[in-house]
Amino acid sequence: MTSQTSPFPANRMFATQALPLRRDRQLGSKSLFGLAWLVSLAALLPLGFILWITIQTGWETASALIFRPRVAELLVNTVLLEALTLPACIALAVALAWLTERSDLPGARLWSWLAVAPLAIPAFVHSYAWIGLAPGMHGLFAAMLVSVLAYLPFLYLPVSAQLRRLDPALEDAAASLGLAPWRVFLRVVLPQLRIAICGGSLLIGLHLLAEYGLYAMIRFDTFTTAIVDQFQSTYNGPAANMLAGVLVLSCLGLLALEVLIRGDARYARVGSGAPRPVTRRRLGRARVPALLLPLALAGLGLGIPAYTLARWLAAGHGAAWQAPELAAAFGETLLYALSGALVTTLAAAPMAWLSVRAPGRLQRMLEGSHYYVGALPGVVVALALVTVTVRIAPLYQSVATVLLAYALMFLPRALVGLRSGIAQVPVELERAAVSLGRRPLLAILSVTLRLAAPGVAACMALVAMGITTELTATLMLAPNGTTTLATQFWSLTNELDYAGAAPYAALMIVLSLPLTALLHAQSRRASGQ
């Protein structure tokens, strides 16, 4: 007797379950796309402001303001700064990361911490320190030197973290095929560092485009310094906004280059395998020369600022520490940093997930709108928000407007950190949670973001450090009577009161040090160290 049963009962049951699962995934993606669209619309406010000014100015006047020798000079300065600084940062970061993570360099953990520590020093404090030591220091190479010292940790952190995660079995297999050590590095290790190098380089490139205080102090003209000068001296809105338009195009070019180099390769695997410690390469006679690199970077990036600050603090004889504005500025800076970091991270989370899990043309467009605003100087973002909050929403000079400005300006920091963390979480774990009945958004929160927690904490620390040292947007948008460490420092240095400004610089460093330590600790924890 034969049984007349369906030969595919399991398949039929699977089909009935797969449809709602697929629908849940689509609903989750649509929800995240909707949230990303809202953030993108807010991020497009500064661009809309520039376009509105351009339309009001008229094409004839706008073209006359764009196609002039001054713009060509600023463009050359900006391109040269990027072309000199980024390769130098990449070479130094990769070399330093290899020495501290893959060689038997004495005191590797100490040098690793010292390589990250310059993040605690604001970029304009680096300039303040070098100007105090060498008042005649200015020009392109001075800008490049200070930029490398100030922003190198943005590349060292992701590269060193990625080096710790790499599977040494791949290098052993390449070496067993007869490749020399330097060929193994170029053909096996370096390609696996691509996403870390691209992310860090993008952050540095955006900072170079948007930085004001660093270059204003050493008298190196960029688009950002020219825009701020236009607004401060003559409040020449059309001229400054035409410069901002060229700056946006520069940012889009940088984004396109990063996307082209980054590619869409996968960098995660299911399971941790059987990890083993990497055998550190012996430096031998090269040990002493190798020590010169971290020693020189620590001396220039930390020693010079420490010496200058100590000299000006001693010159003030402690009187500046008694200023009543000091405690108020510290408290307000701390409050804005923590609140702004939380708001910015939440705003960047949907786009970070879509960037890794749902790549495509629409995603690239939304991601670009998140990134470009990071290249705009704070004064352009602030003026766009002034226009909106005065003419449309009555929120001018409110805390909400200040937090919105911070979220727009520091979206790239949060997005790069979140994207890197989510990319390390296998998508199969997220799909398994959905298949077990979790809603897609809950699966992302409970599985993906939980496993990416080190990256989340790191990006929040990066954003908080940026807010601690933010200057122009705070000056223009903060409620009356608001004082932060950065605004007070800038006010005193403009009055050439370097001794009075030194305590504010010292407190900015003190406030940033725990965030830097968290960033370094989370970077090591992410790789199990």
Side-chain angles (χ1 to χ4, degrees), residues 35 53 81 89 150 196 200 224 226 241 312 351 369 423 447 483 489 511-512:
L35 293 174
I53 292 293
L81 181 64
C89 286
T224 300
N241 279 282
W312 285 117
M351 189 67 256
S369 66
V447 177
T483 58
F489 171 85
L511 191 57
S512 298

Side-chain angles (χ1 to χ4, degrees), residues 233-323:
S233 60
T234 61
Y235 201 77
N236 191 339
N241 279 282
M242 295 307 100
L243 293 176
V246 180
L247 192 57
V248 170
L249 292 178
S250 302
C251 174
L252 293 177
L254 190 64
L255 289 172
L257 181 62
E258 191 268 346
V259 169
L260 180 65
I261 297 175
R262 187 210 322 165
D264 56 358
R266 172 175 168 155
Y267 296 92
R269 62 178 182 177
V270 178
S272 58
R276 61 175 177 79
V278 177
T279 303
R280 290 181 174 262
R281 186 170 297 278
R282 295 184 177 275
L283 294 174
R285 295 181 179 178
R287 179 176 297 183
V288 174
L291 275 171
L292 294 178
L293 176 62
L295 183 62
L297 291 175
L300 295 176
L302 298 172
I304 299 298
Y307 169 76
T308 303
L309 277 177
R311 186 161 65 92
W312 285 117
L313 287 172
H317 302 293
W321 291 101
Q322 302 174 8

Side-chain angles (χ1 to χ4, degrees), residues 22 48 52 61 70-71 85 100-101 126 186 201 217 235 257 268 283 372 377-378 382-383 423 428 461 495 518 529:
R22 189 180 300 112
W52 178 66
T61 304
R70 176 59 173 165
V71 176
T85 303
T100 55
E101 302 299 333
H126 278 279
L186 292 178
S201 299
M217 278 195 172
Y235 201 77
L257 181 62
L283 294 174
Y372 95 94
L383 283 170
E428 288 81 3
E495 298 171 2
L518 172 65
Q529 296 190 17

Side-chain angles (χ1 to χ4, degrees), residues 192-248:
Q192 297 182 80
L193 301 179
R194 181 171 58 180
I195 192 170
I197 291 174
C198 287
S201 299
L202 182 60
L203 275 180
I204 294 176
L206 292 175
H207 276 80
L208 297 180
L209 290 176
E211 178 60 41
Y212 169 68
L214 187 159
Y215 304 123
M217 278 195 172
I218 59 178
R219 294 177 293 175
F220 179 72
D221 292 336
T222 64
F223 282 110
T224 300
T225 61
I227 292 168
V228 175
D229 289 343
Q230 288 280 354
F231 278 116
Q232 287 182 340
S233 60
T234 61
Y235 201 77
N236 191 339
N241 279 282
M242 295 307 100
L243 293 176
V246 180
L247 192 57
V248 170

